[in-house]
Amino acid sequence: MKYNSLNLELLKELQSMLTVPIKYDEETLERYSKDETAELKAVKPEVVVFPVSTEEVSGVMKFANRYSIPVTPRGAGTGLSGGAVPAFHGIVMSLEKMNRILDFDAANMMITVEPGVITGEIQKLADRHGLVYGGDPCSSESSSIGGNIAENAGGNKVMKYGPTGYHVYGLEVVLPSGEVTRLGGKMIKDVSGLDLIHLIVGSEGTLGIATGITLRLLPKPKYSVALLIPFPDIDTAIAAVPKLMTGSGVVPTSLEFMDASSIKAVCSFLNMEFPYADAGAHLIVEVEGSGRDSVFDDYVKLGESAIEAGGLEAFVADNRNTREKLWKARKSIAEALASISPVHCMEDVSVPMASIPELIKFSEEIARDRGLEMIAFGHAGDGNVHVSFIKGDMPEERWNEALPLALKELYAKTTALGGCISGEHGIGLKRKKYLASITDKAQLDLIRGIKRAFDPSYILNPGKIVDL
């Protein structure tokens, strides 16, 4: 696809339709040239724009179509797939200024927001009204809701609440042509036509730009308890996961795991002590409910089941401070990894839950064979594993040779186990070539056909997921 470049005359025209000044100084272009995908090369846009309304977003898209300029939408830049990297330069459209709460409807338990609202702010507002927003990515304090929707973000509470898409009931969307459409609303049930909402959710900003988002809220559980359970090794920890639920009869809200290397990294990063820090693996299990006694019964059953399944101990975090300390450790692993090695590759493979030990063992063999270090952590309850390869002191040339081979082997094993190459971070630029090699032609053609139907000019976030 051939695109045009922006000249001074076009920049002036672009500015004329926007309230906030456009930026094209080197510092800004550098800042908006990448997301948090550590191993991808940055690509500078020609200009960054900051629309403040649906009308301005629409105007930019019409401008882009008129002059064949690619547009890359961007939320908070916390993505881990290169989805916000402007692969063909052009315009980066930052939605950070569209950060208003548009409507809080306690009676219908719905909230409508703009895409630039930080997810944690939605959670806090819901909490103040005795409600909860169930979408809980680990990056909730820094990621925006628009980015969460673009990637259909997962998180710590998927077992109970599901990923982001489960909570999206209405969208205002600017299509690549600049047309505006409204999908869904505050209705719980809606089969009036195709389910276009959940086609937009997870489409990585390639089919449209959500400028208004209606989310369902739920009653807030009154009591919450987390358990930290160390195990002698990964195999025993993961094998314990189904036993925890079948043995106790309890489905927890969260069920996370961390291997020994990730615990060591985060303890060093946070300068904190962790019970059984030398254990082979830890599970974090959280249960919540409306009754103190029922929650007590549930966590006692889970703890007993964990010990029976090989757990070394069950530490109880039954107040807010201890729970937050525990979750801070889990949610800080990515930061700890970046502090160890700014260049690393955090993967997002997802397999059937019982296959996690085999996947991790194979990943360790890959790392050993390729001379890489690695850690593994993730969501044991849904099979989503963040296998992370670390460059460390490895020379750049060796890293550039070893990593693609390691990823090819990891993805092949993942698919052989009945899994997929991304559970919550997305394909973007990072995994595009691998998706093409492991997905059948019929499905790839469907994806391309949908892209063409929405974006015949291939203007919106080109270069992501598949090539046309």
Side-chain angles (χ1 to χ4, degrees):
M1 185 72 186
K2 185 176 180 181
Y3 299 106
N4 293 320
S5 296
L6 288 156
N7 56 32
L8 187 58
E9 185 177 338
L10 289 178
L11 288 171
K12 287 180 179 178
E13 183 179 341
L14 184 60
Q15 179 62 80
S16 71
M17 63 183 69
L18 295 164
T19 304
V20 176
I22 64 176
K23 292 187 176 182
Y24 45 90
D25 60 279
E26 280 302 309
E27 182 179 350
T28 299
L29 298 183
E30 175 65 28
R31 179 183 169 196
Y32 289 86
S33 67
K34 54 187 179 297
D35 60 10
E36 292 189 0
T37 313
E39 76 278 16
L40 282 183
K41 292 182 178 179
V43 180
K44 290 182 183 178
E46 294 177 78
V47 65
V48 183
V49 301
F50 306 89
V52 297
S53 67
T54 298
E55 292 72 26
E56 290 192 355
V57 173
S58 173
V60 171
M61 292 312 305
K62 289 176 180 177
F63 170 91
N65 272 274
R66 190 158 59 246
Y67 296 111
S68 293
I69 310 293
V71 178
T72 303
R74 179 185 175 96
T78 60
L80 290 164
S81 68
V85 175
F88 291 91
H89 308 286
I91 300 168
V92 161
M93 182 190 291
S94 172
L95 298 161
E96 64 194 84
K97 304 294 185 184
M98 295 183 68
N99 57 4
R100 296 178 299 162
I101 306 291
L102 300 175
D103 177 49
F104 186 88
D105 186 349
N108 285 307
M109 294 195 295
M110 294 280 181
I111 184 171
T112 302
V113 302
E114 291 183 324
V117 174
I118 299 300
T119 307
E121 295 305 310
I122 298 171
Q123 294 170 325
K124 290 168 188 172
L125 179 59
D127 184 74
R128 290 197 294 272
H129 288 80
L131 299 169
V132 64
Y133 168 60
D136 188 27
C138 287
S139 60
S140 61
E141 291 303 314
S142 55
S143 63
S144 64
I145 189 65
N148 291 173
I149 285 168
E151 301 296 348
N152 194 16
N156 298 324
K157 296 184 177 181
V158 167
M159 288 190 71
K160 179 174 181 178
Y161 296 111
T164 298
Y166 280 38
H167 311 284
V168 181
Y169 281 75
L171 290 175
E172 178 182 69
V173 181
V174 177
L175 298 173
S177 63
E179 295 175 282
V180 180
T181 187
R182 290 168 180 81
L183 309 172
K186 295 181 182 180
M187 308 81 68
I188 301 299
K189 297 165 71 174
D190 180 2
V191 292
S192 305
L194 299 180
D195 188 2
L196 295 177
I197 287 177
H198 294 102
L199 183 58
I200 296 295
V201 173
S203 64
E204 303 189 33
T206 64
L207 303 183
I209 301 169
T211 55
I213 300 156
T214 298
L215 303 165
R216 189 183 186 190
L217 306 176
L218 296 167
K220 179 186 174 184
K222 294 181 179 179
Y223 302 98
S224 180
V225 174
L227 300 177
L228 176 67
I229 307 164
F231 287 83
D233 51 62
I234 282 281
D235 285 15
T236 308
I238 302 303
V241 170
K243 296 175 185 176
L244 292 181
M245 291 181 279
T246 57
S248 66
V250 177
V251 177
T253 303
S254 304
L255 215 171
E256 302 288 295
F257 84 94
M258 301 172 284
D259 71 0
S261 296
S262 60
I263 288 291
K264 181 179 178 182
V266 82
C267 285
S268 175
F269 177 69
L270 296 175
N271 192 26
M272 67 179 291
E273 295 183 358
F274 217 69
Y276 282 84
D278 58 348
H282 285 73
L283 295 182
I284 299 176
V285 187
E286 187 167 71
V287 62
E288 57 186 22
S290 58
R292 185 189 298 272
D293 291 343
S294 63
V295 171
F296 175 83
D297 289 343
D298 284 349
Y299 84 71
V300 168
K301 290 175 184 175
L302 285 165
E304 290 174 347
S305 295
I307 299 301
E308 290 174 7
L312 303 172
E313 183 62 87
F315 297 94
V316 179
D318 57 359
N319 62 68
R320 186 167 189 156
N321 287 338
T322 54
R323 284 199 311 276
E324 287 182 353
K325 182 178 179 181
L326 195 56
W327 281 114
K328 182 173 179 60
R330 166 61 185 88
K331 292 185 176 185
S332 297
I333 294 175
E335 290 179 87
L337 180 57
S339 73
I340 293 169
S341 177
V343 179
H344 59 272
C345 178
M346 184 191 298
E347 284 309 306
D348 184 44
V349 291
S350 189
V351 295
M353 182 174 59
S355 298
I356 293 177
E358 184 176 352
L359 178 73
I360 292 177
K361 277 186 178 179
F362 188 80
S363 302
E364 289 171 343
E365 291 172 8
I366 293 172
R368 187 166 54 250
D369 291 347
R370 301 294 173 192
L372 301 165
E373 298 176 54
M374 68 153 280
I375 67 172
F377 62 99
H379 315 290
D382 58 39
N384 188 193
V385 185
H386 300 310
V387 173
S388 302
F389 297 115
I390 301 169
K391 176 180 179 291
D393 297 328
M394 177 180 281
E396 187 81 16
E397 185 177 344
R398 280 188 56 203
W399 166 256
N400 290 335
E401 291 175 358
L403 182 62
L405 296 172
L407 292 178
K408 185 177 180 180
E409 292 170 329
L410 174 65
Y411 292 154
K413 182 65 172 180
T414 298
T415 52
L417 291 171
C420 61
I421 66 174
S422 182
E424 61 184 7
H425 293 165
I427 300 300
L429 278 177
K430 177 180 167 71
R431 302 178 180 90
K432 181 175 66 172
K433 68 179 179 180
Y434 300 102
L435 181 71
S437 68
I438 62 175
T439 304
D440 62 72
K441 182 178 181 298
Q443 188 175 152
L444 291 172
D445 286 345
L446 278 173
I447 294 171
R448 293 187 182 104
I450 292 168
K451 173 65 174 171
R452 289 191 187 101
F454 275 79
D455 186 13
S457 299
Y458 202 47
I459 289 294
L460 185 59
N461 211 7
K464 312 300 166 58
I465 307 179
V466 295
D467 290 321
L468 294 187

